[in-house]
Structures are given as structure tokens and as C-alpha cells.
Amino acid sequence: MKRVYTFGDGKAEGNAEMRNLLGGKGANLAEMNLLGMPVPPGFTITTEVCTEYTQKGRDAVVKLIQKEVEDAIAHVESLTGKKFDNPENPLLVSVRSGARASMPGMMDTVLNLGMNDATVASLAEKSGNPRFAWDSYRRFVQMYGDVVLGMKPKSKADIDPFEAIMEKVKEEKGVRLDTELGVEDLQKLVKLFKSAVKDFTGKDFPDSAWEQLWGGICAVFDSWMNERAILYRRMNQIPEEWGTAVNVQAMVYGNMGENSATGVAFSRDAATGENMFNGEYLINAQGEDVVAGIRTPQQITVEGSRRWAALQGIGEEERASKYPSLQETMPVCAEELISIANKLEDYYRDMQDMEFTIQDGKLWMLQTRNGKRTGAAMVKIAMDLLRENKIDEKTVLMRMEPQKLDELLHPVFDKSALKRANVMAKGLPASPGAASGQIVFFADEAETWAEKKKKVVLVRIETSPEDLRGMAVAQGILTMRGGMTSHAAVVARGMGKCCVSGAGEIKVDYAAKTVEMGGKVYKEGDWISLNGSTGEVYDGQVPTAEPELGGDFGAIMNLAAKYTKTLVRTNADTPRDAKQARHFGAQGIGLCRTEHMFFEGDRIKAVREMILSGDVEGRRKALAKLLPMQRSDFEGIFEAMDGYGVTIRLLDPPLHEFVPHQTATQKELASEMGLTLEEVKAKVDSLEEFNPMLGHRGCRLGITYPEITEMQARAIIEAALNVKNRGISVHPEIMIPLVGTLKEIQNQADVINTTAAKVFEERGESVPYKVGTMIEVPRAALTADQIATVADFFSFGTNDLTQMTFGYSRDDAPKFLKFYKEHGIIKTDPFEVLDQEGVGQLVRMGVEKGRATKPELKVGICGEHGGEPSSVKFCAKLGMNYVSCSPYRVPIARVAAAQAALEE
Ligand code: PEP
Ligand code: MG
């Protein structure tokens, strides 16, 4: 088994294809060699060794790779003409991590390894630059102390012991910048640093280069298991088994004087995607100086430098003298760098993010990788590369990270303002976008304030359908309780409105009209800002900007349409949402939650009348008032979906969600209905349930109150006939919620079919319709073969199916799921990302059993997972006919569905 791969001087044992074994950095270093680019020689210890290290421990692994590492060092010695651990002409090396997936800043690096009192003298003499030699030495002692010897501060609040010493020395000398320190200061620093090491470890700083090298290599392997890296992996779903490689490379120096520099460059703009080479550099510096932000980096190109200066309000003269571009200071290196960037981009056929160093006028490449980018840049770069004939259509689609398309659809914060904003609380990123507004606590107030043209953020402990109108006028919604499928989250996503839910640490006091977060008490009218994409809540007003949907976005959607095998429908309850979704390319409605219509206008009164009536007659009277309103809603939706299927779900939520809970409203209702306040209160109390989510809801309502199903079926069928008569093609699909047994669906299907037959007879005309069910109770999935004898279609309600499969309450789960996630009990929130392993089995079984009974059975998903890329792909691969999601997630689902087709 080969564990070490060398590279240098145009040759390499590895290549770009060996990313899994050599890590991203190692594979690309090898490839750059093969492409004839200037790369300091070195070697890569494979990711497999990292796994061995975790399993067998340090000593065993050192023994395993000792010979190979020694040979590899000899290889570097022969290419550089220098000797490791030898003061005559010392070879110094860097040791860096490099995992399969990029994990920026998560793991450790040591530079200038091999330095000691003897080599520093030799380096000073050879370079003719003692300051450079001593600067490298003090950097090495500091880095080695931090990384290998464990002296790195544990938290941001701690002070790095080395930085503290450095500050003191600078203060004594009366200087501000590191570069202002002279040779003697640096010598003093090395001494002080070493004695700090001795105090900390009880041992002398290691002088032997070999001891240093093994320390460095093992520290990188150790850093794979550090807390930061583990957390990052968990967040980005990178498996622990992947391991990191270690790259050891001959040092090149950007800090050798005014003719040396170090920097980073991008072959295109990572923010906008513009085809413009750009980057930053620092003269006389090593890599960490660029990151540390102590000195202001300069731009590589003249054009970039001018743009930068204009943004900073710096005039041309000052720019050219104080902040010249690399094209001006080192034109030959700059041109070589640009030509390398072009070659690399052509080779990898993607935007490259590169690190380089210039040592005494010679350019060296230290790294290249596909650059991270914004959603907008992702779309533009891929489409530009397609137009440049560098990639094909399928590659364009596969390059999309579907979730990132979201950034293009919602308002975003002004980036520089965001940097200055204070985070006061964090909740779940329930519905993406950016919002800034004045705090209100009640839906009524949201409405009155909005009428006065004020921007508001609705802050609630949790929301219920009563808050819908307030939510509709708010810029954003913040709740203390509730998860990714809570009412607030689902409704906000449907509206395309920013929402942070389940921010458990905030304290909402409705009586005092205050909310406390991050140690500050906010009153009604105070400004806050929400980032629905990260879950962050900011103090004050952070400016936002509206998104622009360019032509490239449309082109991506067209490509998705060309390659997908799965349709994307939308979850929409109003004609407005339906139109929005059509605009994004939805082909039909997969879920129309009829209860949401009950809160529009005055209808809630009729709904309450229906609920509070003691008998069938009273209920029928109230339902008769609702009928025309529902019918006209359905007509609007059928029209918006001209020609596409529309799935309308019968009433689902427990009735107590519709009745008023505040005494004032209860009084009003009592007088309208000729009841006493006590009678209303008693009825409201009687609707209370211990577990409403498992209580009297779904088809259980329609079965106990068939008149409700009758009214809704009639409204749907009559609306369909009316729309058909206006020359619009219409395909109603009536969906029964929360079915768990064959009898339940039979019962409701009978009511629907009888009602439809009656309407057809009355009108002397008919329209085709389908009757189907949601599969959201585990029993429905288990008996899908029976249920399919009645159902024309299945739609997986994975919100409830997840709730009932895990036994996690949708509304209460965030309280412990946060802990679960942080402690690795679960990887992702199952209400957000479909649990393919568990819930997914029920879904698969439902599809298979259903289609075994009825091969032509139409199957889709309408739970929130229908807009989450990995879940969409799972459903597409199960052969579902469609996925359905909220309007603003339609583009994401379309791209994910197309990717699923291409992956097959
Ligand atoms: C579901 O349960 O997945 C579903 C779509 O229904 P609701 O969220 O309305 O319960
Ligand atoms: Mg449900």
C-alpha cells in the first residue's frame, strides 16, 4: 500500500483524479505540476493514513510511513539542492492539511518547518536578508507553538500568548506594524516565544527538524478530529471516514523583501460571476498576513485596483503610490499569474481560486481549487462557460447547488451593513430572505401599522391561522417556538416571506409588549432585522436589496425542464401564490390547504358559526354561507393553473384553531350568534385536546361532520364547471387528509362521489375529477395496497409522516432537536431533510404497494421535503410523478429533479 505521493519539477505520482486519496489540495498540486506550472516540490501523505492514524494511533502510523516520508524528503532535497535538518543549506518545509472537500480554516498548517538557531543563521547569510530569516523563525516558533504544542487560544475571548508578547514588544518599541520590527526585535521575540513554550510545556522548543516534521504531520492528523472540524463536518455532512491528507512542500517565501509577495486570485468574480480575473496580494508577507487583515491587501489588476479605490473614495494618485496593483509593481509575475489562471480554468473548466507566492521575483503556485461562489455567480459562471463551449448543458445543471438558487429569489442584506450588524438571537432558518422592520406582537397591529406604510416584523411566541393577515403584511416573522414545519414556517415559505422560527432563547411578553434577546429588551416599534436563510436576528435596521432575476436564471430553468423526468407542482392556497408559482415554472398545484382560505375577509365568522352550532342544521346553514366563497377561491386557482392539475385538500386542522381565544372576540361572536359569552367559552373549551396533532383532525372531521366534506366537494365541482364553461381546461383532484384505513377513504370518497353526481345532475353537465389521499399516517403507507383500490392518486404528506414515524411533535421538536444536532444524535432535522433511512422506507413502501394494486396510480409528495434538494432527488428516483413545494422553492426543486434524472 502506497501512502506517500511525491510531486515536483513537472512530474507527479498523483493527479487531479485522485482527490479522494490525496485530498483536494494534494491532487491539484500534483496536477499543476503535470501542467508544467511552477509549484514548490513536495509530497502528499494520503487520507487513508489519516484513518489509520485515528484507528492505530501516532506511534504505529509514524512507523508505517517513516521510510516513505524519508524517501520523499530526499526527493525534495534532490530537486531543491537543499538539505533537511542541515544548517549548511537548509531545506525548510510547510505542512498543510487538505481534505477531499474543502474545509476552509478548519484544520492546521505549519510553515517554515526545519528552523532552529543554526538554520536561521544560514538562511540569513544565504538570503543576504537577516530580517527575513528572523521573521520566518519567529513565525515558525509561534505557529508551531499554537498548532503542534497546543498553545492556540481556545476561544475568541482568549488572548494568543504569542500575540500578547508581540504586542508588548511593539509597544516598547513604539511601533504599530510587524514590518516595523527590526532584526534585534525579532531575535528578542524568538527568545521570548521559546521561553513561553518552555513555561507552557515544561520542555525546550524542539530543535531537530525531524522532530518538528513529525510533530507537524501528526498535528494535522489530530486537527481532523478537533472540535471546529467535527462541527464543520457535521454541518456540511462530510463523513469522518474521509480523513485529511497532509501536504509537505518546500517553502517559498513571500516575505523575502520588497521583491516578494503573497496573495490569492480568482479567475472570475466569485460574487457576481463576471468573467474578470481578480485577487489581492501583499508585498513582503506570508499567507497568514493576508487572512489576518492587519495590513490592507492590494489588488492584482490595475482595473481591480481602480474599482477598489473608487469604492474607498481614494484618488488615483494616492492609489498608484500607496496601493499599486501587482500589474504595476511586478508586471512580469502578474502576467504569468493571469496566464496560469487561464490555463487552470481551461483545464478544470470552472472558476479557480488560487494561492500564490512570489519569492524574489519568481512566481510559485501553492494551491488551486474550484472557487466558492454566490448563487448569482454560480448561475452566471455556468452559463458563461456553456456559451464559451467549455462545458455542456448537463454539466451546467450538475454544477448547480439547488439551494443556492434561493439567494436569487429573495431580498438580501447589504453586505457591508451586515458586517457591522450585531446578532442578538438565533433561530431556525425557516423561510429565506432578509427583512428589516419595527417590532409588533399582534396581527391586528401589524395590519394597522402596515396601513400607515410602516415596515413591521411580527414577533410571536408561535403563530396560528389567526395571524395570517398580520403575517401577510409583515416584512418578516420571528417566533420563539415552532420548527421547520410549524405554522409560521410553512405559511411564510408559501408567501415567500422571511421567517426565523423557534428562536428558543428569546423571551416574548405579550402583556408588556416586549421581547428580550441577547440581553436587550426590545419594545413594540423597535427595529430588528431577520435573516431567514441563516436564522440570525440582528439589532436595528439593516438595509436590504431586492433580487433581480436575469436571463441566465431563466436559461437554467429551461435546461431543468429539458432534462427532468419529474414534474414540479406547488403548494398554494390563493390565486396570488398560484400565479407566483406558475411564474417560477410550477406545473400544477400539489396541495391547496383549504383552511387557509377560511381566514380571508369575513369568512372566519361563518367558519366559527359552523363550529359553534350545536347541530347539523346550524352547521349546514353556516356552510351554505361559506360555499360561494370557497367556490370563487377555487375558480381563481383553477384559472391561474390553466390546464394543469390542481389538488385540493379537504379541511385538515383541528377545529380549535379556528375559534377565538381572546375574550373580546369571543364576546363579539357571542352577540352575533345570539349566544352568551359562557356558551361560547364552553364550546371553545370543549374543543381543547391533549394532543391536537393526533386528535380530531383530517378525515376524522369529514367523517364525523360529512356536511363539511359535502360543502367542499360541491364548491370544488361547481367551480370546475364554471371555469370549464369559460373555456379553461380544468383538472380537479380532491384529496382526503390523514387517512389511515381503507374504511376512512371509502367513507369520504363516497361522500365526494355522491355530491359530485348530484351537482352534475343539477347542472346537466360534468367534468372529470379525481379522488385521492394523502399518505401521512404510517398505517396508510403499510396498507397502501388496500388504499389504492379507492384512491386515484397518493400524495405523501411527509410532515405528518415524519412526525408520526419518529413520534416527534412537529411543534415541540425544535426544543430538543437543536441539542440532538449539536450532539450528533441526528445529522439533520428530519422535518427539513427527509429521513430516507426510516421515513423513506415508508414512502418507498407506499409507492410500491400502491402501484402494485394500481400501476397507473399518480404519486407525488407535498410535505415540506418536496422543496429540499436531497429529498426531491429521493422522490424522483422512486419514480414519483411530481414533487410539490411552496412557490419560492419551485426553481430549487426543478433543478434538483433534473439532477436526479441526470444522475440515473
Ligand atoms: C404534511 O403533513 O406533510 C402536509 C403536507 O400536511 P400539513 O403540513 O398541512 O399537515
Ligand atoms: Mg399533514
Side-chain angles (χ1 to χ4, degrees):
M1 180 170 154
K2 188 172 170 57
R3 293 183 171 87
V4 176
Y5 287 72
T6 59
F7 54 80
D9 220 14
K11 297 193 189 68
E13 293 179 324
N15 60 48
E17 306 292 308
M18 295 165 75
R19 189 185 180 90
N20 293 357
L21 189 64
L22 302 180
K25 183 180 289 203
N28 290 341
L29 282 172
E31 194 62 51
M32 282 199 288
N33 268 285
L34 299 176
L35 291 169
M37 290 166 187
V39 176
F43 56 90
T44 303
I45 307 173
T46 68
T47 54
E48 289 173 357
V49 178
C50 184
T51 309
E52 288 180 303
Y53 184 91
T54 323
Q55 288 163 357
K56 299 179 187 160
R58 176 185 176 124
D59 293 346
V61 164
V62 170
K63 211 177 266 165
L64 266 180
I65 59 175
Q66 185 155 12
K67 170 84 176 49
E68 277 182 85
V69 168
E70 284 169 6
D71 290 350
I73 285 281
H75 168 82
V76 179
E77 286 174 338
S78 76
L79 289 180
T80 55
K82 295 179 180 174
K83 281 266 173 235
F84 193 62
D85 208 18
N86 182 328
E88 282 303 296
N89 184 16
L91 169 65
L92 303 178
V93 296
S94 64
V95 177
R96 297 172 211 258
S97 61
R100 221 195 271 191
S102 135
M103 293 172 58
M106 290 303 125
M107 286 174 298
D108 290 328
T109 293
V110 189
L111 303 179
N112 306 331
L113 202 139
M115 293 216 81
N116 54 36
D117 293 345
T119 50
V120 73
S122 151
L123 194 65
E125 195 196 305
K126 282 239 152 25
S127 65
N129 187 342
R131 189 190 180 282
F132 146 72
W134 281 95
D135 187 45
S136 306
Y137 195 13
R138 77 92 190 151
R139 285 170 193 271
F140 168 59
V141 177
Q142 176 169 2
M143 261 192 172
Y144 198 89
D146 274 346
V147 170
V148 183
L149 304 175
M151 294 171 72
K152 199 192 301 221
K154 297 281 174 280
S155 79
K156 275 202 181 135
D158 293 342
I159 301 164
D160 183 319
F162 299 112
E163 287 301 330
I165 296 170
M166 186 117 133
E167 281 312 307
K168 205 158 151 246
V169 170
K170 280 198 277 187
E171 206 181 293
E172 280 167 18
K173 171 125 196 199
V175 300
R176 215 170 50 81
L177 297 176
D178 303 357
T179 44
E180 293 171 283
L181 295 173
V183 174
E184 275 162 32
D185 307 314
L186 295 166
Q187 288 173 335
K188 182 167 157 195
L189 274 178
V190 169
K191 218 182 196 163
L192 291 170
F193 281 3
K194 282 187 165 184
S195 73
V197 165
K198 181 139 196 198
D199 287 346
F200 183 83
T201 61
K203 283 192 226 139
D204 284 327
F205 188 86
D207 270 341
S208 147
W210 282 106
E211 185 182 344
Q212 293 171 3
L213 180 60
W214 289 115
I217 291 171
C218 294
V220 170
F221 284 143
D222 284 331
S223 70
W224 178 251
M225 294 306 286
N226 76 26
E227 226 170 280
R228 267 182 311 170
I230 292 174
L231 200 70
Y232 185 91
R233 284 203 291 277
R234 205 170 281 157
M235 273 162 44
N236 294 279
Q237 285 151 58
I238 298 172
E240 190 179 303
E241 312 81 76
W242 281 7
T244 179
V246 180
N247 297 291
V248 178
Q249 239 180 324
M251 278 300 302
V252 285
Y253 294 95
N255 57 338
M256 238 191 197
E258 294 304 304
N259 205 17
S260 299
T262 187
V264 292
F266 298 87
S267 61
R268 297 182 190 228
D269 191 310
T272 63
E274 202 183 333
N275 187 359
M276 186 185 69
F277 173 86
N278 65 98
E280 294 181 331
Y281 77 105
L282 274 178
I283 289 204
N284 196 9
Q286 276 197 334
E288 75 269 18
D289 300 337
V290 183
V291 187
I294 302 163
R295 285 160 62 193
T296 310
Q298 291 155 235
Q299 300 295 309
I300 295 180
T301 63
V302 182
E303 198 192 338
S305 180
R306 294 211 169 113
R307 279 199 202 190
W308 171 84
L311 280 175
Q312 306 287 321
I314 293 172
E316 173 60 14
E317 216 169 290
E318 187 185 351
R319 179 203 72 78
S321 66
K322 276 201 196 153
Y323 309 102
S325 67
L326 190 71
Q327 281 187 317
E328 291 157 296
T329 52
M330 302 183 194
V332 177
C333 289
E335 290 328 305
E336 189 185 357
L337 179 62
I338 293 171
S339 121
I340 286 177
N342 287 334
K343 266 194 217 150
L344 285 173
E345 203 190 82
D346 282 350
Y347 178 80
Y348 288 102
R349 297 170 186 273
D350 201 357
M351 185 261 278
Q352 294 299 296
D353 161 357
M354 296 149 289
E355 286 176 20
F356 64 92
T357 282
I358 296 168
Q359 173 176 310
D360 202 16
K362 168 146 180 56
L363 174 73
W364 294 97
M365 298 304 294
L366 300 184
Q367 165 152 318
T368 190
R369 60 182 168 200
N370 295 338
K372 295 229 188 293
R373 62 204 76 182
T374 63
M378 169 182 81
V379 167
K380 174 153 173 56
I381 290 173
M383 287 308 298
D384 278 348
L385 289 170
L386 176 68
R387 286 184 283 261
E388 292 161 26
N389 282 323
K390 290 186 178 151
I391 57 177
D392 61 12
E393 292 179 349
K394 291 180 181 174
T395 310
V396 169
L397 278 173
M398 292 313 289
R399 289 257 174 102
M400 294 297 115
E401 293 173 55
Q403 205 64 57
K404 273 200 180 164
L405 292 170
D406 218 35
E407 292 169 25
L408 278 73
L409 309 177
H410 300 278
V412 287
F413 283 121
D414 177 278
K415 282 224 171 64
S416 57
L418 197 60
K419 272 191 196 143
R420 294 189 295 271
N422 290 325
V423 178
M424 305 307 283
K426 198 153 189 271
L428 297 170
S431 180
S436 206
Q438 292 176 274
I439 296 175
V440 291
F441 294 94
F442 299 97
D444 298 353
E445 270 149 18
E447 282 188 287
T448 23
W449 288 47
E451 271 161 27
K452 292 183 202 140
K453 300 271 174 283
K454 289 188 177 171
K455 292 189 166 186
V456 298
V457 168
L458 182 64
V459 178
R460 301 281 307 162
I461 293 177
E462 61 197 345
T463 64
S464 74
E466 276 183 280
D467 299 315
L468 269 181
R469 282 158 50 167
M471 294 169 78
V473 297
Q475 304 298 309
I477 299 130
L478 168 64
T479 71
M480 188 171 118
R481 279 210 291 264
M484 294 298 287
T485 59
S486 64
H487 178 268
V490 171
V491 171
R493 277 201 289 277
M495 292 175 171
K497 192 160 297 241
C498 168
C499 173
V500 173
S501 72
E505 272 127 57
I506 69 170
K507 282 197 199 81
V508 177
D509 184 338
Y510 286 146
K513 292 196 182 175
T514 58
V515 51
E516 195 185 322
M517 45 188 168
K520 181 170 166 184
V521 178
Y522 290 81
K523 297 185 300 296
E524 182 182 72
D526 288 346
W527 283 82
I528 54 169
S529 303
L530 308 178
N531 187 340
S533 313
T534 62
E536 276 160 342
V537 184
Y538 302 100
D539 183 49
Q541 192 175 5
V542 184
T544 59
E546 283 303 317
E548 279 170 46
L549 286 188
D552 283 344
F553 176 83
I556 297 282
M557 290 301 116
N558 290 339
L559 288 181
K562 181 166 169 186
Y563 291 99
T564 192
K565 290 189 191 137
T566 315
L567 294 182
V568 176
R569 288 188 172 195
T570 191
N571 294 358
D573 316 322
T574 63
R576 191 199 59 210
D577 289 355
K579 279 197 198 107
Q580 179 66 57
R582 285 280 293 130
H583 173 68
F584 287 144
Q587 293 177 292
I589 288 184
L591 173 63
C592 171
R593 294 177 165 102
T594 43
E595 62 271 16
H596 286 169
M597 298 170 165
F598 287 2
F599 285 90
E600 296 272 330
D602 271 349
R603 349 188 144 178
I604 188 63
K605 283 190 186 152
V607 174
R608 287 172 172 165
E609 211 180 299
M610 180 227 359
I611 295 171
L612 297 189
S613 333
D615 53 20
V616 186
E617 278 325 300
R619 276 198 294 278
R620 281 195 192 283
K621 222 175 90 200
L623 285 165
K625 289 187 200 166
L626 276 173
L627 175 71
M629 303 188 224
Q630 287 243 293
R631 189 172 53 216
S632 84
D633 287 333
F634 296 144
E635 287 178 21
I637 288 178
F638 288 144
E639 277 172 7
M641 279 295 151
D642 181 16
Y644 290 118
V646 174
T647 307
I648 297 171
R649 181 178 73 184
L650 302 178
L651 189 66
D652 180 60
L655 296 181
H656 85 273
E657 285 192 12
F658 300 99
V659 292
H661 294 94
Q662 280 160 346
T663 308
T665 336
Q666 288 179 344
K667 249 187 209 154
E668 216 175 283
L669 186 67
S671 80
E672 269 168 33
M673 290 188 63
L675 298 170
T676 66
L677 178 62
E678 283 61 40
E679 281 169 321
V680 169
K681 273 196 186 307
K683 186 69 190 177
V684 169
D685 288 347
S686 76
L687 291 170
E688 277 294 320
E689 291 179 295
F690 285 109
N691 290 310
M693 272 299 193
L694 300 175
H696 195 185
R697 61 173 283 227
C699 66
R700 303 156 201 174
L701 287 172
I703 291 171
T704 45
Y705 304 123
E707 54 279 8
I708 300 179
T709 303
E710 271 169 34
M711 181 280 284
Q712 291 201 297
R714 177 174 281 274
I716 295 166
I717 298 291
E718 287 183 355
L721 289 171
N722 293 349
V723 169
K724 187 184 107 180
N725 290 337
R726 277 177 235 148
I728 292 168
S729 120
V730 54
H731 305 278
E733 299 168 359
I734 303 174
M735 180 154 77
I736 305 163
L738 227 70
V739 162
T741 71
L742 176 62
K743 272 271 191 292
E744 282 177 330
I745 185 172
Q746 275 170 340
N747 173 295
Q748 288 293 282
D750 282 350
V751 177
I752 294 164
N753 291 332
T754 312
T755 307
K758 221 185 266 171
V759 176
F760 293 156
E761 203 186 298
E762 286 163 19
R763 300 270 299 241
E765 56 180 337
S766 69
V767 66
Y769 68 94
K770 290 191 164 72
V771 177
T773 181
M774 295 194 67
I775 303 287
E776 49 187 346
V777 174
R779 195 181 190 285
L782 295 165
T783 59
D785 47 345
Q786 296 173 30
I787 289 173
T789 57
V790 179
D792 298 323
F793 64 88
F794 281 178
S795 178
F796 284 85
T798 44
N799 302 333
D800 275 309
L801 193 60
T802 299
Q803 165 169 265
M804 292 188 230
T805 304
F806 276 89
Y808 294 166
S809 151
R810 283 163 71 168
D811 300 310
D812 301 312
K815 278 187 212 152
F816 56 87
L817 286 188
K818 187 164 171 247
F819 184 94
Y820 269 27
K821 238 200 243 175
E822 285 165 5
H823 292 78
I825 311 279
I826 54 167
K827 276 195 178 140
T828 50
D829 181 342
F831 290 105
E832 202 178 330
V833 180
L834 185 74
D835 160 47
Q836 296 180 17
E837 198 183 346
V839 179
Q841 281 197 50
L842 287 170
V843 177
R844 180 187 302 274
M845 181 188 294
V847 175
E848 285 169 1
K849 286 196 159 195
R851 288 210 174 128
T853 300
K854 200 177 261 177
E856 72 284 8
L857 185 78
K858 191 157 157 185
V859 181
I861 175 177
C862 65
E864 288 304 298
H865 307 92
E868 190 283 318
S870 69
S871 318
V872 169
K873 288 185 182 179
F874 177 77
C875 294
K877 289 175 186 174
L878 282 183
M880 285 196 191
N881 303 76
Y882 68 86
V883 298
S884 186
C885 56
S886 53
Y888 282 83
R889 290 167 94 181
V890 166
I892 298 170
R894 293 180 69 192
V895 169
Q899 289 180 341
L902 293 177
E903 279 166 11
E904 277 193 340

